[in-house]
Amino acid sequence: MAWLTELEHKANLFISVIGALAFNAGQLLFIGVLLHAFGSIGGWTPAEVIVLFGIRMASHSVYAFFFRRTIDVDLVVHTGEFDRYLLRPTSPFLQLLMRRFNLQQIGDVIIAGVILALVLPRASITWHPLLVLWLALAIAAGGMLEGGLQLARGALAFRLRNTQSLTGLIDAVFGTYGNFPLQIFGPVGAVLFTAPLPLAFVAWIPAAMVTGRVDSLWFPAWLGWLSPAVGVACMAASIAFFTRQSRHYSSPGS
């Protein structure tokens, strides 16, 4: 099994986990420096900002564990590995996801879990069962949204020679801007990060809804409760796009 293969290389796994922990700790430290210097970010208190960061990390963990292999479409297509996918009765999309189980992202899971466990009880949030369920759905949908964007990017490999530069671009945008309340980028930036690039649905909108900071949103607050549907729709549309583009596959051995 794919996850057993990962466990066979324990040293690499350990180094990768430590690296992920260090990287995410560095991001958290940078946010801490900003909060120490200015007291708040975009009017959000330190606890609210850390809630947003924790939600973003939790969504990224969902993506990393279940959908990270979407970054491999270029490799699968251009090496001819996709030939084997077409010969099996299982969906090529599912085969892509299962080609390698990414235990290395456990560092993301650890830091997200620790952050949420520490900050959520201290944040001014009135918890009830429906809100807990909604937040869990929002986190899962955020991971699906990030995975959907990477899958749609990868589907272009059936027509283009190389799309790996777009992989790094998506990772950079999510990792750089997704950790902050997006209203700090101004009205135009907030709209751009909601519509053309739906980064807002990963953490900003869910965090605003659970912390009550709906005043930061540029649209009616009730629409925020529908945000998980965006991630689900993005993944569904990307799977359909991937399937359609796969019809243009040409084996490198042909």
Side-chain angles (χ1 to χ4, degrees):
M1 297 176 67
W3 63 274
L4 289 176
T5 302
E6 289 284 312
L7 289 175
E8 289 177 359
H9 305 281
K10 294 183 177 62
N12 290 339
L13 176 61
F14 177 76
I15 293 173
S16 298
V17 169
I18 295 300
L21 287 171
F23 176 78
N24 293 318
Q27 287 188 315
L28 187 58
L29 178 62
F30 176 69
I31 293 173
V33 170
L34 292 179
L35 289 170
H36 179 74
F38 301 106
S40 65
I41 297 178
W44 286 40
T45 66
E48 292 166 345
V49 174
I50 302 304
V51 166
L52 187 153
F53 178 77
I55 292 174
R56 212 283 296 180
M57 285 305 309
S59 294
H60 180 74
S61 298
V62 171
Y63 156 69
F65 258 88
F66 297 104
F67 305 110
R68 183 62 174 172
R69 300 281 53 89
T70 54
I71 67 172
D72 296 340
V73 179
D74 280 85
L75 175 67
V76 168
V77 170
H78 298 309
T79 62
E81 183 179 330
F82 198 72
D83 290 343
R84 299 201 300 271
Y85 294 6
L86 297 176
L87 297 175
R88 298 167 181 162
T90 309
S91 161
F93 170 65
L94 293 179
Q95 293 183 65
L96 173 69
L97 296 186
M98 295 185 294
R99 72 183 299 269
R100 178 183 170 192
F101 191 72
N102 203 20
L103 284 175
Q104 297 176 357
Q105 300 301 326
I106 195 172
D108 293 336
V109 176
I110 292 173
I111 203 164
V114 169
I115 290 172
L116 291 177
L118 291 176
V119 74
L120 287 180
R122 292 168 173 78
S124 300
I125 302 173
T126 303
W127 292 106
H128 53 81
L130 285 179
L131 184 60
V132 174
L133 176 61
W134 182 88
L135 180 57
L137 290 174
I139 288 173
M144 294 176 71
L145 193 151
E146 188 172 357
L149 291 179
Q150 290 287 15
L151 179 63
R153 183 279 317 162
L156 297 175
F158 290 108
R159 290 176 173 268
L160 304 177
R161 182 61 185 170
N162 192 322
T163 67
Q164 283 300 320
S165 60
L166 294 177
T167 301
L169 176 62
I170 295 172
D171 281 343
V173 169
F174 273 71
T176 302
Y177 301 104
N179 297 327
F180 300 99
L182 296 178
Q183 77 274 9
I184 67 174
F185 301 108
V188 175
V191 172
L192 289 177
F193 281 128
T194 305
L197 180 63
L199 176 64
F201 298 95
V202 174
W204 180 46
I205 294 174
M209 301 309 294
V210 298
T211 61
R213 293 309 309 266
V214 294
D215 58 303
S216 302
L217 304 177
W218 60 270
F219 50 82
W222 64 269
L223 286 174
W225 296 114
L226 303 178
S227 62
V230 176
V232 176
C234 179
M235 177 56 72
S238 296
I239 293 173
F241 181 65
F242 173 83
T243 302
R244 187 175 183 85
Q245 292 303 305
S246 67
R247 299 171 186 169
H248 301 280
Y249 175 67
S250 177
S251 174
S254 61

